Structure formats: structure tokens, C-alpha cells
Amino acid sequence: MRHAILILAHDDMASLKKLIAYFCTNCDIYIHIDKKTKCNKDEINELYKMNGVRYVSQKFKINWGSYNMLLAEIHLLNIAYAEHRATYYHLFSGHDYPLRPLQYFLEFFSHNNGMNYIYCRLADSKLIHDRLLQYHPYSLFNAKDKKRGIYIYKIVNLQRKYNIFRSMKNFPRIIAIGSQWFSITEDAVAKIVNPSKNNKNFLKRLKSTFAPEELYINTLVVNNIKNKYICCDNLRYIRWKFKNGNCPSILDLSLLKYCISSKALFARKFDISYSAELKKFIDTNILNNSFQNIDSKNYYRYFNKFFNYDSCIAQTIKKLVEVLELKDILYVECGNCLYLDSFVGLKLPIQGISSNKISDNYASAYNLLDYYQNIDITTEIEADETFNLILLINSSVYSNLYKSKMALQNICKLTNKYILIIEEKDNLEKINELTFFVDAIISCGFKLNSLSKTIFAESTKSKIYSYFLER
């Protein structure tokens, strides 16, 4: 399976090159650089020398929200589709960055072949009024320039004042809007680049509308692809809040946990000023050397397990701690520290330990070092203190503690009251190991608490194995 990578760039050539370098296997890369960006022939030739780059263009001058943004997308789709090399077509901006290794990206689409990932929703009357009924001259004026951008709003408001409305004649039956970024199949692209009269009329009608790139492709996909092959998720983490001078947010290291817990494959927006530390963390702990020893057959499954997080589990544990008035908790093998970070945010009296060095890096990035230690539960531990609750969540992902007699002994002597074990069913390869471990705890003087079957809601219970034991 090959992938066509379409990139819209307008600045920061260094970041563009880094994004290109990521797609080094089974990918063909097609790039459009804003015509307003000054690029000499040497810079363009450098891009062509990079692995996978098949096309670089500066055909269109692009203003934010303008028609030319859509034309540049369609141009890249036409170029890539004409070669008939790809099964999937992905649109990125030069400010995107991966959150998973390339091997995971490739395996994700192999596992989900045929699905189209594009965020879209049906357009309502307000959207039609705001975007489609007047002429919006974003191609003439740069809306990001405050002095010139004001003319756009004046022209639109004049039309509304004098009841000047555009025809809705050439629109498809269903109008959809959403994010312009997507990962779609060759079949979907065939519907988009089809030079039919309807497509041409629809495209022409979108001239002088606001942000038509958020309408055209989304609408054609919804009208031409069966719903069961559309996933309303573009697999990009985008934070729609104002931060670091922009909305959507310019991402920095403080937003790492949101990037990771989103389960997205990519995130945006990154820039030189604010995102360097976040990129460095992603490079070091996710993209590069952290997972080299994983069996290639289990790579996709391992990553899904490692980054699992369920807020319902975190909230349920909070309620349990409050009801039982627990004073101290030890969270064993806290992995990527997403749960630990959540528990600290919920103000639970908790300490986390892990034998996994990767956990050290996540704890540091989340500012959790006051709540975390690198301790191997499978080696002998002196019990200077005991805890009301020993908590294990998806511990099979991060260690082999269910096979360790020493881990069993440590857990039993470190608690003075309760043990709670939670394993998501998708994570656990061998249920026998878990049940044997629970039986061994019971043989050490513990029993299943009556709350075991009622702690979690039915929707959560269907996805997990849980054991609540008390001394």
C-alpha cells in the first residue's frame, strides 16, 4: 500500500523538510508552497532531492480563507491521482507533525483499509448565511493584515445591508463542512477530481466564499461515499483554544498530554518559537529509538496499548477514593503517566512508580517528579510505609509483573487495605496470567470486595477486567 502525501506550505522550510523526512517509506510526496513565499531554485531542488518527493509547485498565491487554498489542494490531488500510485491520499500543512512512528502510520491504514478519515458535519442555516450567501473577497485582501482585512468585512456587511444574496443553484443535495485536513481513499479522490459538470459548477460557485477548502471536499465525500466508509475524524489533534498568539493553539510541551491522549496520528500547529521542546520530546520518546525492540508483528497493537487512556476510569477511581476516604495510594507501573497526571489533577493522594525508563521522561514532561519514582516492583522493596490502596492499571503493557513472585510479595506487603487491578480487554494477551495473579493475592489473605462488580458503569465494564481486593 502506497500513500500520497500532499503538503501545503508557506513558510519555515526547515520544518517542512523534517515533515518530508518522516514519510521515508511507501510514500510519494507532493508539495505546494505559497507563491508569496520567496523560494529560489536551489531550495526547490533541495526538496526534490529528498526521498519520496515527486512534485513541488508554487502555482497559487494563497491568502487565508481564500479560494486559491482550495485550488492548491485540488491541484495536488489531480497531480497525485494522475499517477495512480497511491491507495490513500493525505493532506497536511507544513505546520503539522507526527505523533506516531511511520511504521504505526503505515499499519494503521493497512488495518483500516477502505475507511475515509475526514471531519465533517452537515451545514446549518447559520453557516450558509455566514459563508455562502455573499461575496467574500478573501482572494483580494489578506485577512491577516488588519488594515486590509477590514475591507472584507465592510464589503460583506454592505451586501447584507442592501439584501444582496448569491444563488444556491449549483450546490449538491447535502452541504457538509469541516476541517480541510484529511486521509481519504483513492475511490474518494476519484469522485473529487472527476471533471463532471456538477463538480465544475460547484467548484466555480465556491469562488469568493469564505474558506471553501472546508466545504468542497467534505461535501463531495459525504455525497459520494457510503456513510459506513466515512469516519468523522481526520486523525489530527488540533486544539481550538487561543494559546501562544494563535487559535488554534500553537502547541508547546505543556500540551503534550493532550496530544498523546487524543489518539491522533498527527498534530498541528507547530512553529519554531514555541514548539521546539515538544518536537524534541516526540522525536526522542516516540518517533526514534524508544521502541526499536518491539516485534514488528506486534508494533501496531503495542502502540495502541501504550497510549491507552480512559477518562471514565480516572473519574471512577476518584469517586472510589472519596467514598472509602482513602488517605494514600500507590500507583504501580504508571507507564506513559497519563493516568498519574489525571489523578494528580483530581487532587488524589497518590504516588506513582515504574520500572520503565520511558516513564521517567513522561513524568518529567508533565511536571510529576514530586509524585513519581523509578522503582522496579519485581525486585525486593523495603516497606518503610504502607498504602491504603495499591493501584494497577494496564500493568501488563509496561512490565511482566503478573509473572513475578517478587512483585506479588511487594504488592501484598505495601498495602494495608485494598488492591485494585484494572486491565483493558484489548490490552491483555493472556487472561490466565491475570487470574492466576489474582488467585495468588487471595491466597495471601485477601478477598474480593463486594464492590468489585459495581465500581464501574456497564459501558466501562464491557471493556475491562477489574478486581477489587481487600485484606
Side-chain angles (χ1 to χ4, degrees):
M1 178 186 288
R2 291 195 71 80
H3 297 265
I5 308 301
L6 319 175
I7 303 175
L8 298 176
H10 68 277
D11 62 5
D12 192 1
M13 297 297 284
S15 292
L16 173 60
K17 289 178 180 177
K18 201 166 184 180
L19 182 61
I20 293 169
Y22 169 80
F23 295 106
C24 59
T25 303
N26 293 336
C27 296
D28 301 316
I29 302 166
Y30 306 83
I31 304 164
H32 184 278
I33 301 171
D34 188 348
K35 197 172 183 178
K36 300 195 303 292
T37 303
K38 293 180 180 179
C39 284
N40 57 46
K41 289 184 178 180
D42 289 341
E43 289 176 306
I44 299 296
N45 288 335
E46 281 184 26
L47 295 179
Y48 270 115
K49 290 177 183 177
M50 296 188 71
N51 189 34
V53 175
R54 297 184 64 81
Y55 181 78
V56 183
S57 170
Q58 279 193 287
K59 185 173 183 177
F60 298 100
K61 177 182 176 181
I62 300 175
N63 288 336
W64 179 80
S66 72
Y67 187 58
N68 278 0
M69 179 78 81
L70 173 58
L71 294 184
E73 288 181 22
I74 295 172
H75 177 63
L76 291 181
L77 281 171
N78 275 304
I79 296 295
Y81 182 75
E83 296 189 334
H84 291 290
R85 292 169 57 91
T87 305
Y88 267 94
Y89 295 71
H90 312 265
L91 182 67
F92 299 96
S93 85
H95 289 273
D96 292 5
Y97 206 66
L99 297 177
R100 299 288 187 270
L102 180 64
Q103 186 174 341
Y104 184 93
F105 166 81
L106 297 174
E107 290 192 25
F108 178 91
F109 288 98
S110 293
H111 279 80
N112 298 284
N113 191 10
M115 289 300 297
N116 293 276
Y117 296 89
I118 180 168
Y119 177 74
C120 46
R121 65 184 190 276
L122 298 184
D124 56 24
S125 57
K126 184 180 185 302
L127 180 140
I128 292 171
H129 175 270
D130 290 347
R131 295 199 182 198
L132 304 177
L133 295 183
Q134 278 79 38
Y135 293 89
H136 295 254
Y138 282 83
S139 294
L140 297 177
F141 303 102
N142 183 357
K144 296 292 187 179
D145 183 333
K146 292 183 179 179
K147 291 182 179 179
R148 294 178 179 271
I150 193 67
Y151 292 116
I152 297 172
Y153 306 105
K154 286 182 176 180
I155 291 169
V156 171
N157 288 333
L158 276 172
Q159 294 173 76
R160 289 172 180 164
K161 181 178 180 180
Y162 292 104
N163 293 321
I164 299 172
F165 298 105
R166 301 177 69 183
S167 168
M168 295 292 291
K169 180 180 178 182
N170 291 318
F171 280 85
R173 181 175 59 88
I174 299 171
I175 303 173
I177 186 173
S179 172
Q180 74 182 101
W181 317 110
F182 55 74
S183 294
I184 57 178
T185 61
E186 185 179 29
D187 183 44
V189 174
K191 308 295 185 185
I192 294 164
V193 301
N194 178 16
S196 67
K197 183 178 180 180
N198 287 342
N199 279 10
K200 287 181 178 179
N201 288 339
F202 180 35
L203 180 60
K204 185 177 180 181
R205 171 58 181 80
L206 288 179
K207 189 172 184 180
S208 296
T209 59
F210 168 58
E213 75 279 4
E214 297 178 349
L215 274 164
Y216 183 74
I217 290 173
N218 311 66
T219 295
L220 291 184
V221 168
V222 167
N223 279 275
N224 291 284
I225 302 297
K226 291 180 180 179
N227 286 343
K228 66 179 181 178
Y229 297 117
I230 301 173
C231 179
C232 192
D233 181 353
N234 62 10
L235 307 176
R236 280 79 166 159
Y237 173 69
I238 305 171
R239 189 173 187 265
W240 290 104
K241 293 184 178 181
F242 189 87
K243 186 176 177 68
N244 295 327
N246 200 76
C247 182
S249 300
I250 302 294
L251 303 177
D252 60 31
L253 189 60
S254 70
L255 300 174
L256 171 67
K257 59 187 175 186
Y258 301 106
C259 295
I260 299 304
S261 62
S262 71
K263 299 184 180 179
L265 304 190
F266 299 86
R268 67 183 311 270
K269 300 173 92 172
F270 290 78
D271 83 349
I272 301 172
S273 302
Y274 298 99
S275 307
E277 286 187 341
L278 177 56
K279 277 189 174 182
K280 183 179 179 181
F281 186 94
I282 292 169
D283 288 344
T284 303
N285 296 284
I286 301 176
L287 302 186
N288 293 339
N289 300 318
S290 302
F291 304 98
Q292 285 184 341
N293 297 324
I294 301 173
D295 180 356
S296 60
K297 293 181 181 179
N298 297 317
Y299 202 87
Y300 176 76
R301 190 166 182 268
Y302 179 83
F303 263 85
N304 282 339
K305 292 192 295 183
F306 186 84
F307 291 106
N308 260 359
Y309 171 78
D310 187 336
S311 60
C312 293
I313 291 177
Q315 289 293 336
T316 300
I317 290 172
K318 178 179 184 292
K319 290 178 183 177
L320 180 69
V321 170
E322 291 172 347
V323 168
L324 297 177
E325 298 181 345
L326 303 180
K327 302 301 182 185
D328 41 31
I329 308 162
L330 181 65
Y331 175 19
V332 176
E333 293 300 345
C334 48
N336 61 32
C337 294
L338 284 173
Y339 281 107
L340 180 60
D341 180 74
S342 180
F343 295 142
V344 170
L346 293 170
K347 302 189 184 310
L348 300 189
I350 196 161
Q351 288 287 322
I353 64 171
S354 176
S355 59
N356 193 326
K357 291 183 179 180
I358 296 175
S359 301
D360 299 1
N361 299 334
Y362 282 96
S364 177
Y366 299 154
N367 295 317
L368 295 174
L369 293 181
D370 290 341
Y371 306 91
Y372 169 84
Q373 295 182 71
N374 189 306
I375 296 175
D376 187 351
I377 196 70
T378 64
T379 61
E380 187 173 2
I381 298 173
E382 294 296 328
D384 296 329
E385 59 177 325
T386 58
F387 298 83
N388 293 163
L389 173 67
I390 301 295
L391 178 63
L392 293 87
I393 306 177
N394 296 330
S395 297
S396 64
V397 176
Y398 311 115
S399 75
N400 292 317
L401 69 84
Y402 295 145
K403 299 178 182 179
S404 169
K405 290 183 179 179
M406 184 57 68
L408 174 70
Q409 294 175 19
N410 286 331
I411 288 169
C412 289
K413 73 181 180 182
L414 284 169
T415 181
N416 52 47
K417 190 63 176 175
Y418 299 109
I419 299 171
L420 177 58
I421 303 173
I422 301 165
E423 283 286 345
E424 294 188 46
K425 291 179 180 179
D426 289 343
N427 290 344
L428 196 64
E429 294 179 12
K430 296 179 180 179
I431 181 62
N432 291 342
E433 289 181 0
L434 176 58
T435 55
F436 180 82
F437 189 76
V438 171
D439 289 342
I441 292 175
I442 291 172
S443 69
C444 293
F446 288 78
K447 64 179 180 180
L448 284 173
N449 185 281
S450 59
L451 292 175
S452 282
K453 295 182 179 180
T454 59
I455 293 174
F456 294 99
E458 289 299 326
S459 58
T460 303
K461 279 199 292 186
S462 65
K463 298 184 291 185
I464 66 171
Y465 299 109
S466 64
Y467 300 90
F468 186 46
L469 303 110
E470 68 173 313
R471 188 181 289 279

